[in-house]
Amino acid sequence: MTSALLRPAVAADEPFLWEMLYEASHAADQGLTVVDLETIPALSRYVEGWGVESDLGVIGGPAESPCGAAWLRLLTGADAAYGYVDDATPELAIAVAPRARGTGLGTAMLERLVADAAGHYPAMSLSVREDNPARRLYQRVGFVDVPRSRIVNRAGTTSITMVLRLR
Ligand SMILES: CC(C)(COP(=O)(O)OP(=O)(O)OC[C@H]1O[C@@H](n2cnc3c(N)ncnc32)[C@H](O)[C@@H]1OP(=O)(O)O)[C@@H](O)C(=O)NCCC(=O)NCCS
């Protein structure tokens, strides 16, 4: 994709974000459906009630059929999620529909979100499975591993927290 179509994520995008959360969380590997995600707080907190003031996201792809999303949510206190770093740092979730992967959309969305977030947040963080090829994308954009952040994830493999300092 040479010139990705990108726009800000708004409250009306919540249904699409559930679909993208399904991809980002590898929920199919566990035999889950998109609807199941709503019953799993560790996942639903990334999307439920999308559109509050601190939410920031990018939707990618044609207007009539979006195919990717990258979004940030400030998840603190009881809502702190897999990639929690501190109360000022929102967590990133990102996914591209399988049909559109490997075409540059994920990179374009992430670069746009990083640019948009710079005026709002000091950093962003994420949790990623250690063997996920997405780690290379994150490293290219400037994310670094958080020391001693390796944990055993829901799938029984290892996940690591990464952080990108914005200022
Ligand atoms: C990660 C993801 C959003 C990247 O979007 P994309 O449009 O495919 O990415 P781009 O074409 O811009 O860049 C390619 C990079 O994406 C990553 N990537 C490519 N295919 C991937 C896949 N199937 N799964 C995970 N990451 C992948 C790699 O880092 C790749 O870089 P490389 O070519 O150096 O290996 C997308 O592949 C995806 O949705 N993967 C499945 C969900 C996921 O793993 N989300 C992240 C959870 S932390």
Side-chain angles (χ1 to χ4, degrees):
M1 182 171 295
T2 47
S3 61
L5 294 165
L6 304 175
R7 64 169 175 81
V10 297
D13 292 312
E14 184 176 330
F16 180 64
L17 291 185
W18 283 109
E19 288 177 40
M20 292 296 100
L21 179 67
Y22 186 79
E23 300 296 339
S25 62
H26 305 279
D29 296 354
Q30 295 176 285
L32 299 171
T33 65
V34 176
V35 174
D36 290 334
L37 301 184
E38 295 175 26
T39 67
I40 304 172
L43 295 175
S44 63
R45 61 181 49 133
Y46 286 92
V47 170
E48 193 152 40
W50 174 261
V52 300
E53 201 181 337
S54 53
D55 289 340
L56 194 63
V58 172
I59 304 290
E64 65 283 4
S65 60
C67 45
W71 69 102
L72 294 176
R73 243 191 168 181
L74 207 46
L75 296 168
T76 61
D79 274 340
Y82 295 116
Y84 177 83
V85 170
D86 59 44
D87 285 356
T89 302
E91 284 193 42
L92 171 75
I94 182 170
V96 168
R99 68 181 188 281
R101 284 181 197 158
T103 63
L105 182 59
T107 302
M109 293 190 306
L110 187 52
E111 288 177 347
R112 171 69 66 87
L113 187 61
V114 167
D116 290 351
H120 297 267
Y121 290 113
M124 65 176 74
S125 65
L126 60 86
S127 175
V128 60
R129 294 183 186 182
E130 203 159 20
D131 60 357
N132 190 330
R135 266 171 69 68
R136 286 193 292 274
L137 168 60
Y138 301 144
Q139 285 161 347
R140 275 200 293 275
V141 173
F143 281 87
V144 296
D145 294 353
V146 173
R148 296 176 297 282
S149 66
R150 280 178 176 76
I151 56 153
V152 176
N153 57 38
R154 286 178 302 123
T157 62
T158 306
S159 287
I160 188 163
T161 303
M162 302 179 79
V163 67
L164 173 68
R165 298 281 164 207
L166 297 169
R167 51 176 113 108

